[in-house]
């Protein structure tokens, strides 16, 4: 499912027709996630609006909004382990062959070290420039802001 939630910043980037459609979708989002949670339906995190250059930097804040329906731990698991399981289901078209969503030997190594506990304060993921001390993708460290 795509987490469409009311956000004036996002709506401001849309034209009138798209804005009207978005408002209709927002109205059903709460019901969809409430039902998924109630019936224990596994969901993954993702959205095509993240490919909009203006909105991409806000993906952490979009994930943080999932605490309307899930605990911070459930939201983070959805965006990591559950997404890894979903990718594995795509078989030969899987863009990331290998183990995903786990921290173990031979898994693809995408890791974040957060300055704080996102389980206690999910809003930490809203500002990765400030709060992500280490960013590692495919085993390569792209950011290391730890004191030397």
């Amino acid at each position: 499912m795509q987490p469409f939630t009311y956000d004036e910043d996002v709506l401001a980037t849309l034209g009138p027709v798209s804005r009207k459609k978005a408002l209709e979708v927002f109205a059903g989002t709460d019901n969809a996630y409430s039902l998924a949670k109630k019936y224990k339906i596994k969901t993954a995190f993702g959205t095509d609006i993240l490919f909009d250059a203006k909105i991409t930097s806000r993906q952490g804040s979009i994930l943080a909004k999932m605490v309307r329906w899930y605990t911070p731990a459930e939201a983070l698991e959805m965006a990591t382990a559950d997404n890894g399981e979903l990718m594995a289901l795509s078989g030969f078209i899987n863009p990331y062959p290998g183990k995903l969503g786990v921290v173990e030997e031979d898994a693809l190594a995408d890791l974040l070290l957060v300055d704080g506990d996102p389980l206690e304060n999910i809003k930490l993921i809203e500002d990765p420039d400030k709060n992500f001390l280490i960013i590692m993708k495919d085993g390569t460290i792209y950011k290391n802001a730890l004191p030397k």
Side-chain angles (χ1 to χ4, degrees):
M1 294 194 308
Q2 192 161 328
F4 285 113
T5 56
Y6 184 84
D7 188 332
E8 190 57 44
D9 292 343
V10 173
L11 289 175
T13 67
L14 302 175
V17 173
S18 293
R19 183 181 176 94
K20 182 179 180 205
K21 289 178 183 179
L23 289 171
E24 290 176 10
V25 172
F26 296 160
T29 297
D30 183 59
N31 188 46
Y33 278 108
S34 295
L35 289 170
K37 178 78 178 198
K38 178 180 178 179
Y39 293 105
K40 299 179 178 13
I41 296 169
K42 188 175 281 193
T43 57
F45 177 77
T47 170
D48 59 352
I49 65 172
L50 297 180
F51 294 107
D52 181 321
K54 297 175 190 170
I55 301 172
T56 299
S57 64
R58 301 186 62 248
Q59 57 189 308
S61 64
I62 295 169
L63 177 59
K65 288 180 181 184
M66 297 304 294
V67 297
R68 292 178 186 180
W69 306 282
Y70 300 95
T71 67
E74 289 169 331
L76 293 170
E77 183 177 6
M78 179 190 311
T80 57
D82 293 351
N83 277 5
E85 285 182 34
L86 180 65
M87 288 289 124
L89 292 173
S90 61
F92 72 93
I93 61 170
N94 182 355
Y96 307 104
K99 292 182 185 177
L100 297 174
V102 295
V103 178
E104 63 183 54
E105 189 173 344
D106 296 325
L108 295 177
D110 294 356
L111 299 171
L112 301 171
L113 178 62
V114 181
D115 187 10
D117 184 351
L119 298 179
E120 294 294 324
N121 180 8
I122 192 72
K123 291 191 174 285
L124 289 168
I125 66 172
E126 292 181 358
D127 190 353
D129 290 338
K130 176 183 174 192
N131 297 317
F132 290 5
L133 300 177
I134 293 181
I135 298 174
M136 183 170 72
K137 178 161 179 52
D138 296 332
T140 300
I141 294 177
Y142 288 90
K143 176 182 178 181
N144 184 350
L146 290 176
K148 303 237 179 197

